[in-house]
Amino acid sequence: MMVPTNAEIQIRGVTLQDVAALFAVHGGLASHWSGSAQCAIDINHRLLRPFHCVVAEFQGDVVGHAEWIVSEDLNHSGRRLYLGMFQIREDFRGRGVGRKLLAHGEQFAADKGCVALRTIPESDVIEFYLKCGFKSIGEAIGCKVHVQPSI
């Protein structure tokens, strides 16, 4: 399989028409994303709330999925963008899809005036986040700091 270039990976908003594709991206996981009916309910729930949900496409196929939500830090240190869902289709891991989705999240954070992008990753992907510039904060928490609004 060819490695897509950064320009060939397109990021767009999630729609209800993406249910089958998201089911495939998340397939096999022991979660609500592994059932198509529940997947449709959960997508609809997020689309009706202030989540920022996107998919990564390569040649028309959905190969990744990410969801963010903006929140205010309880210590009043600024607005944060929290990455709550991040999944790359298994056959596309290591091909730049994750980095493209994170870059999209960083730009979205900057556009929303966020001072940081955070996530709580699974232990098997912490190294990926560290390679992408995140820093460990506490136990298994990744944080991308210095996200500044674009001028």
Side-chain angles (χ1 to χ4, degrees):
M1 177 179 281
M2 71 182 266
V3 176
T5 66
N6 198 36
E8 291 176 312
I9 301 168
Q10 301 299 311
I11 307 297
R12 66 165 175 79
V14 169
T15 70
L16 286 175
Q17 287 72 37
D18 293 319
V19 169
L22 289 174
F23 179 71
V25 167
H26 292 275
L29 299 178
S31 75
H32 55 273
W33 293 101
S34 60
S36 60
Q38 189 61 48
C39 182
I41 292 167
D42 289 342
I43 291 169
N44 191 55
H45 167 81
R46 284 161 173 81
L47 292 174
L48 294 173
R49 284 160 182 79
F51 286 86
H52 179 64
C53 306
V54 297
V55 293
E57 285 185 323
F58 175 65
Q59 297 180 342
D61 290 330
V62 173
V63 296
H65 171 223
E67 295 180 358
W68 291 274
I69 192 159
V70 175
S71 65
E72 298 296 331
D73 188 288
L74 296 177
N75 297 324
H76 308 315
S77 61
R79 183 176 281 180
R80 312 266 181 205
L81 185 64
Y82 179 76
L83 174 60
M85 175 62 64
F86 191 78
Q87 186 70 27
I88 309 303
R89 205 170 78 187
E90 194 169 333
D91 59 335
F92 272 83
R93 292 179 188 160
R95 298 173 186 264
V97 176
R99 286 182 183 271
K100 179 88 177 219
L101 282 167
L102 286 181
H104 172 85
E106 288 181 58
Q107 185 58 56
F108 182 77
D111 293 346
K112 294 296 182 183
C114 296
V115 297
L117 181 115
R118 291 189 174 174
T119 192
I120 302 174
E122 299 292 328
S123 60
D124 61 334
V125 293
I126 291 174
E127 190 63 32
F128 165 75
Y129 287 100
L130 294 175
K131 286 179 182 177
C132 291
F134 282 65
K135 297 180 190 312
S136 254
I137 303 175
E139 188 174 326
I141 298 176
C143 179
K144 180 76 175 198
V145 293
H146 307 299
V147 176
Q148 299 297 323
S150 54
I151 298 175

